[in-house]
Amino acid sequence: MMNFYRLNHRLQQMTVKILKNLCQRHDIVIEEGDLKIILHLMKDNPHTVFNDAYTPILLSEIAQKTSQKTCLSFKILLDQNDLLEEIE
């Protein structure tokens, strides 16, 4: 069972540099400004990262604040659970 308190704490400590490195390891190119927006959105509402049922909300917010292309690129990390594995 997931310890959401610990996961949230780790998410809150995540930096843009860590997120950028994660994207690069998966050959995903997202501009640093967009990564800052994505990280801010995730930190403000961590349930959208930890619970698959809320993921569409996060993706919708990312598409509204950045672009559809950025959203689709980031969706790869969520679909493959790479982001959650990084946080764990």
Side-chain angles (χ1 to χ4, degrees):
M1 180 165 199
M2 283 193 228
N3 180 341
F4 289 109
Y5 177 79
R6 183 178 65 87
L7 289 174
N8 184 43
H9 181 69
R10 295 209 34 161
L11 174 62
Q12 297 305 322
Q13 292 179 327
M14 183 177 268
T15 64
V16 173
K17 184 177 179 179
I18 293 169
L19 187 56
K20 184 176 183 176
N21 288 338
L22 177 63
C23 288
Q24 288 175 343
R25 284 197 308 268
H26 295 279
D27 297 322
I28 298 170
V29 178
I30 299 176
E31 293 180 26
E32 190 167 322
D34 289 341
L35 288 175
K36 288 179 183 178
I37 292 168
I38 292 169
L39 187 59
H40 179 76
L41 291 170
M42 290 188 314
K43 287 181 176 184
D44 278 354
N45 195 355
H47 296 324
T48 59
V49 177
F50 304 140
N51 188 333
D52 290 339
Y54 295 114
T55 299
I57 296 169
L58 176 62
L59 294 173
S60 174
E61 289 180 5
I62 290 170
Q64 289 175 4
K65 304 257 183 196
T66 61
S67 69
Q68 188 65 31
K69 180 182 175 189
T70 299
C71 179
L72 293 174
S73 295
F74 190 74
K75 185 177 184 297
I76 295 168
L77 288 178
L78 296 174
D79 287 346
Q80 298 175 355
N81 288 323
D82 295 324
L83 178 62
L84 193 55
E85 288 175 13
E86 179 74 22
I87 294 170
E88 290 178 331

